[in-house]
Amino acid sequence: MLTNSDLIELTTFRHALHRRPEISGEEAETARTIVEALKPMSPTRIVTGLGGYGVAAVFDSGIDGPTVLFRAELDALPIEERNNAIEWLSEISGKSHVCGHDGHMTMLLALGRMISRRPVAKGRVILMFQPAEEDGSGAKAVVKDPAFKDLSPDYAFAIHNEPGIPFGFVATRIGLINCASLGLKITLSGKTAHAADPQDGVSPALAVAKLIPALDALGDGEGGPRNDNFRLVTITHANIGEPTFGIAPGEAQVFATLRTAADANMESLEDAARALTMSVAKEFGLGVEFEVHDHFAASVNDAEAYGVAVKAMDAIGVPHGEAGVPMRASEDFGVFGWSAKAAMLCLGPGEDHAALHNPDYDFPDDLIPIGSSIFERIARDLLGSIRM
Ligand SMILES: [Zn+2]
Ligand SMILES: [Zn+2]
């Protein structure tokens, strides 16, 4: 149980995290702050440097039993915050916690307070603060880290706040919960020329003009992500040459985000995007190079872990349902599900709440006790509590 003082301290802590955002792979200060906050809870051990700046706190009962991992994310986004409604604005220009990871970390620390006061009777609780969620690299790096072998969980749970869902309501389901996605960076190269003599160069301009709608058309949003064949291509960026009037361009870049409901369909969508690009490049006499970024595996909820979460939510009166999921957006938590029974819960900050990654988004502190209570109940249902 959280006390009034807990909530005041945790809220203050969340605001402090909010002021000091660090982006994927650069979460050194955030990790140190988390370690300092964990120490007074006297976990059995604290592991640092997991897959980068990842931090794990292990609460080991010393009695045989399952290992239950709860996950939060350390990273913020390279987005300039614009919010007149809060006093705890980012102090770091161009960076902000506009995905609510400051709130997710705080929910995990709230869980830590409750577990340290009333330990579990068997098994282990692991509070996992993973780095680099936003670029899809962190969970993979954590799981691959040799130090993670010792922490390998039987169950893994995470909560992400999801604007659009009513406040305090949890959307979740068995099966796909977050789509797979992959960022494809396409570079087309030709030859620059004087704008008066474009025939002397090889311009990628018309190729880009042809490529954008053609890539877009590879998608098929029919039925949304509940349809296994859901595919979506979103052009996120494009540029041609330099912003001048005197040069016919010689190079162009197109960024496309590919999204599928199933990991198995990502390869064929990527193959199709590459083949299409190469044929357009050939038609216009251009060279082409590809780079892959931000590859997220699909996140899939295990039926048993889902059942555990639903039972916990029912026990403490948290309303839940399947509306609004699976999410089109990706989430690298799915990686923990490769070797554990995992479930992601999407917790509502309100239907009209600013969207994730918007400059005026802020995590609602009132979700801290709700999220941490769900986690606590899951831990106690699976691992019991020592008699006080
Ligand atoms: Zn995000
Ligand atoms: Zn996020």
Side-chain angles (χ1 to χ4, degrees):
M1 198 171 84
L2 295 171
T3 65
N4 233 359
S5 328
D6 283 329
L7 291 175
I8 293 165
E9 285 168 25
L10 288 162
T11 301
T12 306
F13 183 85
R14 207 277 295 174
H15 297 172
L17 285 177
H18 193 91
R19 286 192 174 97
R20 308 288 302 166
E22 293 174 299
I23 59 169
S24 308
E26 298 179 4
E27 310 95 335
E29 182 186 315
T30 307
R32 277 199 302 275
T33 306
I34 293 294
V35 168
E36 288 311 310
L38 286 166
K39 279 180 185 166
M41 301 173 198
S42 306
T44 317
R45 64 196 173 102
I46 298 175
V47 185
T48 57
L50 277 165
Y53 289 109
V55 176
V58 184
F59 293 85
D60 192 340
S61 65
I63 309 290
D64 264 3
T67 295
V68 186
L69 178 147
F70 298 93
R71 196 263 345 220
E73 319 89 320
L74 294 167
D75 53 340
L77 285 149
I79 294 172
E80 179 76 28
E81 184 168 41
R82 283 196 180 90
N83 194 336
N84 297 322
I86 61 173
E87 286 162 24
W88 44 91
L89 286 169
S90 169
E91 291 169 359
I92 301 172
S93 84
K95 296 176 188 174
S96 56
H97 265 298
V98 289
C99 202
H101 297 178
D102 49 351
H104 303 163
M105 287 185 263
T106 309
M107 291 194 303
L108 235 55
L109 292 171
L111 171 65
R113 286 182 178 219
M114 294 189 277
I115 297 297
S116 80
R117 280 181 206 145
R118 193 171 170 223
V120 292
K122 62 176 180 182
R124 300 186 296 174
V125 170
I126 295 180
L127 309 183
M128 178 72 235
F129 300 84
Q130 77 152 79
E133 190 284 324
E134 293 291 355
D135 67 8
S137 69
K140 268 179 236 152
V142 165
V143 168
K144 274 193 203 145
D145 193 309
F148 189 73
K149 240 191 196 125
D150 243 20
L151 306 173
S152 188
D154 299 292
Y155 295 89
F157 297 92
I159 292 177
H160 204 299
N161 80 99
E162 294 292 349
I165 298 174
F167 180 85
F169 186 93
V170 168
T172 189
R173 71 195 289 262
I174 297 169
L176 181 74
I177 190 82
N178 294 92
C179 288
S181 69
L182 179 144
L184 193 61
K185 176 182 170 185
I186 299 163
T187 302
L188 298 170
S189 22
K191 186 168 172 275
T192 54
H194 194 291
D197 293 299
Q199 72 280 2
D200 293 344
V202 183
S203 167
L206 295 178
V208 169
K210 188 166 184 176
L211 196 54
I212 288 177
L215 284 170
D216 186 83
L218 293 176
D220 175 10
E222 202 64 38
R226 286 203 184 203
N227 175 353
D228 287 346
N229 287 322
F230 172 77
R231 302 187 303 279
L232 185 68
V233 178
T234 308
I235 304 297
T236 56
H237 176 79
N239 73 64
I240 301 168
E242 300 300 324
T244 65
F245 294 99
I247 306 167
E251 193 175 284
Q253 285 175 332
V254 177
F255 285 34
T257 301
L258 317 183
R259 204 172 289 282
T260 60
D263 282 326
N265 294 341
M266 182 56 82
E267 201 177 324
S268 64
L269 181 58
E270 187 188 345
D271 286 349
R274 284 175 183 255
L276 173 72
T277 305
M278 287 193 292
S279 86
V280 171
K282 193 171 169 207
E283 182 186 339
F284 289 89
L286 298 158
V288 58
E289 263 177 57
F290 298 99
E291 273 178 42
V292 169
H293 295 267
D294 295 23
H295 183 204
F296 289 82
S299 193
V300 179
N301 281 352
D302 170 78
E304 188 188 330
Y306 166 85
V308 169
V310 161
K311 187 168 158 251
M313 291 189 283
D314 287 341
I316 61 171
V318 172
H320 58 87
E322 299 196 4
V325 285
M327 299 276 162
R328 289 175 173 219
S330 303
E331 165 55 74
D332 77 350
F333 174 70
V335 171
F336 291 100
W338 294 351
S339 56
K341 292 167 185 163
M344 160 64 78
L345 311 178
C346 305
L347 175 59
E351 280 151 298
D352 300 326
H353 200 82
L356 300 175
H357 297 201
N358 272 29
D360 63 342
Y361 169 88
D362 184 46
F363 182 87
D365 293 304
D366 289 335
L367 290 181
I368 295 168
I370 301 173
S372 55
S373 302
I374 298 170
F375 282 157
E376 189 204 13
R377 185 65 195 220
I378 289 172
R380 304 223 180 270
D381 283 350
L382 288 171
L383 306 176
S385 307
I386 62 162
R387 282 167 185 270
M388 303 298 279

